[in-house]
Amino acid sequence: MRIISFNANGIRSAAGKGFFDWLGQQDADVVCLQETKSQEHQLADACFRPDGHHCFYRDATTKKGYSGVAIYARREPDEVRTVLGRPDFDDEGRYIEARFGNLSVVSFYIPSGSSGELRQGYKFQIMEWLKPVLDEWLASGREYVLCGDWNIVRCRKDIRNWTSNQKNSGCLPPERAWLNGMIGQDEGSDGTPPRPGGWVDAYRALHPQGEDYTWWSNRGAARANNVGWRIDYQFVTPGLGSRLRGCSIYREQRFSDHAPFTVDYEGALP
């Protein structure tokens, strides 16, 4: 089972940079996209409906050309959900879930707080509201893959400039404590006690000492110099953690300021 997560920073822009040509060669079972920045009616071109995939979009309804998530699946899901029950979050197009038997694959786009105090405050509100939802999923008996751009690094290994970013959104101690407090024991903690039986960070489980990034600022030569952040994840329930077989971050082509993150799991899509 191969699952890809990718923040496109505009799906039409990524298409023009060759993303769908690359995707067609990846043999992915499920693709989770974030920041599509489009309304579905704007995606009439066949490239936005890749051959062999069932395609589902959740657009932002509060602001055109903003946010938005999508899931492409080779097998038609039993159910697709796009509402978590908080209208301001749902209407920004930040959640979509595809259900296949006892497996749920979620595409998340967690708010950024980098634009200022107002949005950082909103980000903290979403984090507080989302935690019991994620706790409920973890305890539900279902298997989950939580894909997406979480806009938070976990530890020093996840960001090139750790010290200088301690007061910047995405690397703030309360953000890291929130995220790491939901993850089981691994090498990616910032000192926050792990949660027994918590979510498994697929990349960190496969690369305990890895220092790879998934996002680079468009300023300066951040990507050329690999001054990046790892903020795109696949967090999985412990049952799927034992099925992790490999992962990769594709940097060779630049489709976005993010890179696609691919994880391979033992066994087929249920």
Side-chain angles (χ1 to χ4, degrees), residues 144-169:
Y144 277 86
V145 180
L146 309 182
C147 294
D149 175 2
W150 290 67
N151 272 307
I152 304 171
V153 299
R154 292 191 55 209
C155 69
R156 184 182 292 269
K157 291 190 284 285
D158 296 324
I159 183 170
R160 173 60 65 87
N161 293 328
W162 168 261
T163 302
S164 62
N165 278 292
Q166 291 301 299
K167 294 184 178 180
N168 290 333
S169 181

mmCIF file of all heavy atoms in Angstrom, residues 144-169:
data_model
loop_
_atom_site.group_PDB
_atom_site.id
_atom_site.type_symbol
_atom_site.label_atom_id
_atom_site.label_comp_id
_atom_site.label_asym_id
_atom_site.label_seq_id
_atom_site.Cartn_x
_atom_site.Cartn_y
_atom_site.Cartn_z
ATOM 1 N N TYR A 144 -5.747 4.383 11.230
ATOM 2 C CA TYR A 144 -5.738 5.713 10.614
ATOM 3 C C TYR A 144 -4.371 6.035 10.052
ATOM 4 O O TYR A 144 -3.338 5.686 10.642
ATOM 5 C CB TYR A 144 -6.080 6.795 11.649
ATOM 6 C CG TYR A 144 -7.548 6.993 11.905
ATOM 7 C CD1 TYR A 144 -8.227 6.210 12.841
ATOM 8 C CD2 TYR A 144 -8.270 7.976 11.227
ATOM 9 C CE1 TYR A 144 -9.577 6.400 13.094
ATOM 10 C CE2 TYR A 144 -9.625 8.168 11.467
ATOM 11 C CZ TYR A 144 -10.272 7.386 12.399
ATOM 12 O OH TYR A 144 -11.624 7.577 12.637
ATOM 13 N N VAL A 145 -4.374 6.721 8.912
ATOM 14 C CA VAL A 145 -3.189 7.396 8.388
ATOM 15 C C VAL A 145 -3.553 8.871 8.299
ATOM 16 O O VAL A 145 -4.443 9.255 7.533
ATOM 17 C CB VAL A 145 -2.782 6.868 7.000
ATOM 18 C CG1 VAL A 145 -1.532 7.607 6.502
ATOM 19 C CG2 VAL A 145 -2.533 5.369 7.026
ATOM 20 N N LEU A 146 -2.883 9.686 9.110
ATOM 21 C CA LEU A 146 -3.126 11.125 9.111
ATOM 22 C C LEU A 146 -2.043 11.789 8.284
ATOM 23 O O LEU A 146 -0.904 11.941 8.735
ATOM 24 C CB LEU A 146 -3.109 11.677 10.540
ATOM 25 C CG LEU A 146 -3.986 10.955 11.572
ATOM 26 C CD1 LEU A 146 -3.885 11.660 12.923
ATOM 27 C CD2 LEU A 146 -5.438 10.884 11.108
ATOM 28 N N CYS A 147 -2.387 12.168 7.068
ATOM 29 C CA CYS A 147 -1.444 12.818 6.165
ATOM 30 C C CYS A 147 -1.610 14.321 6.265
ATOM 31 O O CYS A 147 -2.667 14.818 6.645
ATOM 32 C CB CYS A 147 -1.714 12.406 4.715
ATOM 33 S SG CYS A 147 -1.398 10.668 4.363
ATOM 34 N N GLY A 148 -0.572 15.044 5.861
ATOM 35 C CA GLY A 148 -0.786 16.463 5.680
ATOM 36 C C GLY A 148 0.310 17.364 6.183
ATOM 37 O O GLY A 148 1.332 16.933 6.714
ATOM 38 N N ASP A 149 0.033 18.643 5.966
ATOM 39 C CA ASP A 149 0.899 19.726 6.400
ATOM 40 C C ASP A 149 0.389 20.181 7.765
ATOM 41 O O ASP A 149 -0.668 20.778 7.877
ATOM 42 C CB ASP A 149 0.829 20.862 5.376
ATOM 43 C CG ASP A 149 1.615 22.097 5.786
ATOM 44 O OD1 ASP A 149 2.248 22.071 6.862
ATOM 45 O OD2 ASP A 149 1.587 23.090 5.035
ATOM 46 N N TRP A 150 1.187 19.901 8.801
ATOM 47 C CA TRP A 150 0.782 20.222 10.172
ATOM 48 C C TRP A 150 1.352 21.553 10.629
ATOM 49 O O TRP A 150 1.044 22.022 11.711
ATOM 50 C CB TRP A 150 1.203 19.093 11.124
ATOM 51 C CG TRP A 150 0.398 17.854 10.907
ATOM 52 C CD1 TRP A 150 0.408 17.052 9.789
ATOM 53 C CD2 TRP A 150 -0.558 17.280 11.788
ATOM 54 N NE1 TRP A 150 -0.486 16.017 9.932
ATOM 55 C CE2 TRP A 150 -1.092 16.130 11.154
ATOM 56 C CE3 TRP A 150 -1.020 17.616 13.054
ATOM 57 C CZ2 TRP A 150 -2.057 15.325 11.744
ATOM 58 C CZ3 TRP A 150 -1.979 16.808 13.651
ATOM 59 C CH2 TRP A 150 -2.493 15.681 13.005
ATOM 60 N N ASN A 151 2.235 22.148 9.844
ATOM 61 C CA ASN A 151 2.813 23.467 10.159
ATOM 62 C C ASN A 151 3.470 23.505 11.541
ATOM 63 O O ASN A 151 3.461 24.546 12.214
ATOM 64 C CB ASN A 151 1.743 24.570 10.039
ATOM 65 C CG ASN A 151 1.649 25.109 8.621
ATOM 66 O OD1 ASN A 151 2.647 25.522 8.035
ATOM 67 N ND2 ASN A 151 0.452 25.080 8.057
ATOM 68 N N ILE A 152 4.048 22.378 11.963
ATOM 69 C CA ILE A 152 4.779 22.287 13.231
ATOM 70 C C ILE A 152 5.924 21.293 13.050
ATOM 71 O O ILE A 152 5.698 20.179 12.544
ATOM 72 C CB ILE A 152 3.881 21.802 14.393
ATOM 73 C CG1 ILE A 152 2.656 22.697 14.573
ATOM 74 C CG2 ILE A 152 4.682 21.729 15.695
ATOM 75 C CD1 ILE A 152 1.629 22.138 15.556
ATOM 76 N N VAL A 153 7.122 21.669 13.464
ATOM 77 C CA VAL A 153 8.219 20.702 13.525
ATOM 78 C C VAL A 153 8.168 20.006 14.880
ATOM 79 O O VAL A 153 7.594 20.516 15.848
ATOM 80 C CB VAL A 153 9.596 21.369 13.329
ATOM 81 C CG1 VAL A 153 9.686 22.046 11.975
ATOM 82 C CG2 VAL A 153 9.908 22.365 14.451
ATOM 83 N N ARG A 154 8.802 18.844 14.972
ATOM 84 C CA ARG A 154 8.785 18.105 16.231
ATOM 85 C C ARG A 154 10.037 18.323 17.072
ATOM 86 O O ARG A 154 9.967 18.346 18.302
ATOM 87 C CB ARG A 154 8.608 16.610 15.954
ATOM 88 C CG ARG A 154 7.249 16.222 15.389
ATOM 89 C CD ARG A 154 7.072 14.709 15.416
ATOM 90 N NE ARG A 154 7.276 14.203 16.761
ATOM 91 C CZ ARG A 154 7.728 12.987 17.044
ATOM 92 N NH1 ARG A 154 8.041 12.144 16.070
ATOM 93 N NH2 ARG A 154 7.900 12.609 18.302
ATOM 94 N N CYS A 155 11.197 18.455 16.434
ATOM 95 C CA CYS A 155 12.434 18.516 17.206
ATOM 96 C C CYS A 155 13.549 19.143 16.372
ATOM 97 O O CYS A 155 13.347 19.500 15.209
ATOM 98 C CB CYS A 155 12.844 17.126 17.696
ATOM 99 S SG CYS A 155 13.388 16.005 16.376
ATOM 100 N N ARG A 156 14.714 19.221 16.968
ATOM 101 C CA ARG A 156 15.862 19.856 16.327
ATOM 102 C C ARG A 156 16.199 19.207 14.977
ATOM 103 O O ARG A 156 16.635 19.897 14.044
ATOM 104 C CB ARG A 156 17.075 19.774 17.269
ATOM 105 C CG ARG A 156 18.320 20.475 16.759
ATOM 106 C CD ARG A 156 19.470 20.300 17.730
ATOM 107 N NE ARG A 156 19.256 21.010 18.978
ATOM 108 C CZ ARG A 156 19.645 22.264 19.209
ATOM 109 N NH1 ARG A 156 20.280 22.944 18.262
ATOM 110 N NH2 ARG A 156 19.424 22.834 20.377
ATOM 111 N N LYS A 157 16.021 17.907 14.866
ATOM 112 C CA LYS A 157 16.368 17.215 13.623
ATOM 113 C C LYS A 157 15.432 17.576 12.470
ATOM 114 O O LYS A 157 15.702 17.241 11.320
ATOM 115 C CB LYS A 157 16.356 15.699 13.843
ATOM 116 C CG LYS A 157 17.473 15.194 14.740
ATOM 117 C CD LYS A 157 17.557 13.682 14.727
ATOM 118 C CE LYS A 157 16.476 13.013 15.552
ATOM 119 N NZ LYS A 157 16.711 13.112 17.005
ATOM 120 N N ASP A 158 14.313 18.251 12.790
ATOM 121 C CA ASP A 158 13.293 18.551 11.788
ATOM 122 C C ASP A 158 13.402 19.958 11.212
ATOM 123 O O ASP A 158 12.533 20.362 10.440
ATOM 124 C CB ASP A 158 11.896 18.367 12.378
ATOM 125 C CG ASP A 158 11.618 16.930 12.772
ATOM 126 O OD1 ASP A 158 12.093 16.027 12.060
ATOM 127 O OD2 ASP A 158 10.935 16.713 13.788
ATOM 128 N N ILE A 159 14.427 20.702 11.580
ATOM 129 C CA ILE A 159 14.542 22.075 11.100
ATOM 130 C C ILE A 159 16.017 22.472 11.086
ATOM 131 O O ILE A 159 16.764 22.168 12.017
ATOM 132 C CB ILE A 159 13.709 23.034 11.996
ATOM 133 C CG1 ILE A 159 13.741 24.467 11.469
ATOM 134 C CG2 ILE A 159 14.120 22.953 13.450
ATOM 135 C CD1 ILE A 159 12.739 25.384 12.165
ATOM 136 N N ARG A 160 16.439 23.143 10.034
ATOM 137 C CA ARG A 160 17.843 23.492 9.920
ATOM 138 C C ARG A 160 18.269 24.513 10.985
ATOM 139 O O ARG A 160 19.294 24.362 11.627
ATOM 140 C CB ARG A 160 18.132 24.029 8.507
ATOM 141 C CG ARG A 160 19.530 24.592 8.313
ATOM 142 C CD ARG A 160 20.645 23.568 8.564
ATOM 143 N NE ARG A 160 20.626 22.479 7.606
ATOM 144 C CZ ARG A 160 21.233 22.505 6.429
ATOM 145 N NH1 ARG A 160 21.891 23.585 6.041
ATOM 146 N NH2 ARG A 160 21.184 21.457 5.636
ATOM 147 N N ASN A 161 17.468 25.565 11.136
ATOM 148 C CA ASN A 161 17.828 26.636 12.067
ATOM 149 C C ASN A 161 16.956 26.562 13.316
ATOM 150 O O ASN A 161 16.005 27.324 13.483
ATOM 151 C CB ASN A 161 17.693 27.998 11.379
ATOM 152 C CG ASN A 161 18.716 28.180 10.268
ATOM 153 O OD1 ASN A 161 19.829 27.666 10.346
ATOM 154 N ND2 ASN A 161 18.346 28.914 9.230
ATOM 155 N N TRP A 162 17.284 25.624 14.180
ATOM 156 C CA TRP A 162 16.500 25.361 15.383
ATOM 157 C C TRP A 162 16.502 26.547 16.346
ATOM 158 O O TRP A 162 15.456 27.054 16.739
ATOM 159 C CB TRP A 162 17.049 24.119 16.062
ATOM 160 C CG TRP A 162 16.567 23.823 17.444
ATOM 161 C CD1 TRP A 162 17.221 24.100 18.614
ATOM 162 C CD2 TRP A 162 15.352 23.162 17.821
ATOM 163 N NE1 TRP A 162 16.491 23.651 19.690
ATOM 164 C CE2 TRP A 162 15.339 23.074 19.229
ATOM 165 C CE3 TRP A 162 14.264 22.643 17.105
ATOM 166 C CZ2 TRP A 162 14.297 22.488 19.935
ATOM 167 C CZ3 TRP A 162 13.231 22.058 17.814
ATOM 168 C CH2 TRP A 162 13.242 21.987 19.197
ATOM 169 N N THR A 163 17.666 27.022 16.707
ATOM 170 C CA THR A 163 17.777 28.042 17.748
ATOM 171 C C THR A 163 17.103 29.347 17.341
ATOM 172 O O THR A 163 16.349 29.946 18.117
ATOM 173 C CB THR A 163 19.246 28.293 18.099
ATOM 174 O OG1 THR A 163 19.836 27.061 18.526
ATOM 175 C CG2 THR A 163 19.375 29.334 19.203
ATOM 176 N N SER A 164 17.323 29.771 16.120
ATOM 177 C CA SER A 164 16.804 31.070 15.690
ATOM 178 C C SER A 164 15.308 31.055 15.419
ATOM 179 O O SER A 164 14.696 32.107 15.230
ATOM 180 C CB SER A 164 17.549 31.549 14.434
ATOM 181 O OG SER A 164 17.345 30.646 13.357
ATOM 182 N N ASN A 165 14.678 29.872 15.412
ATOM 183 C CA ASN A 165 13.242 29.783 15.138
ATOM 184 C C ASN A 165 12.399 29.508 16.373
ATOM 185 O O ASN A 165 11.191 29.272 16.248
ATOM 186 C CB ASN A 165 12.981 28.697 14.090
ATOM 187 C CG ASN A 165 13.209 29.195 12.673
ATOM 188 O OD1 ASN A 165 12.460 30.033 12.172
ATOM 189 N ND2 ASN A 165 14.248 28.694 12.036
ATOM 190 N N GLN A 166 12.998 29.557 17.549
ATOM 191 C CA GLN A 166 12.260 29.214 18.768
ATOM 192 C C GLN A 166 11.080 30.151 19.048
ATOM 193 O O GLN A 166 10.144 29.775 19.754
ATOM 194 C CB GLN A 166 13.207 29.206 19.974
ATOM 195 C CG GLN A 166 14.209 28.067 19.961
ATOM 196 C CD GLN A 166 13.543 26.710 19.943
ATOM 197 O OE1 GLN A 166 12.806 26.351 20.857
ATOM 198 N NE2 GLN A 166 13.754 25.950 18.873
ATOM 199 N N LYS A 167 11.094 31.337 18.489
ATOM 200 C CA LYS A 167 9.983 32.272 18.705
ATOM 201 C C LYS A 167 9.117 32.424 17.457
ATOM 202 O O LYS A 167 8.269 33.318 17.395
ATOM 203 C CB LYS A 167 10.530 33.641 19.135
ATOM 204 C CG LYS A 167 11.208 33.615 20.488
ATOM 205 C CD LYS A 167 11.660 35.009 20.923
ATOM 206 C CE LYS A 167 12.302 34.968 22.307
ATOM 207 N NZ LYS A 167 12.740 36.313 22.758
ATOM 208 N N ASN A 168 9.324 31.545 16.491
ATOM 209 C CA ASN A 168 8.561 31.627 15.246
ATOM 210 C C ASN A 168 7.502 30.536 15.180
ATOM 211 O O ASN A 168 7.725 29.396 15.617
ATOM 212 C CB ASN A 168 9.498 31.503 14.038
ATOM 213 C CG ASN A 168 10.385 32.722 13.873
ATOM 214 O OD1 ASN A 168 10.019 33.829 14.286
ATOM 215 N ND2 ASN A 168 11.548 32.546 13.266
ATOM 216 N N SER A 169 6.358 30.885 14.602
ATOM 217 C CA SER A 169 5.267 29.927 14.437
ATOM 218 C C SER A 169 5.761 28.680 13.716
ATOM 219 O O SER A 169 6.500 28.757 12.742
ATOM 220 C CB SER A 169 4.136 30.563 13.634
ATOM 221 O OG SER A 169 3.070 29.654 13.482
#
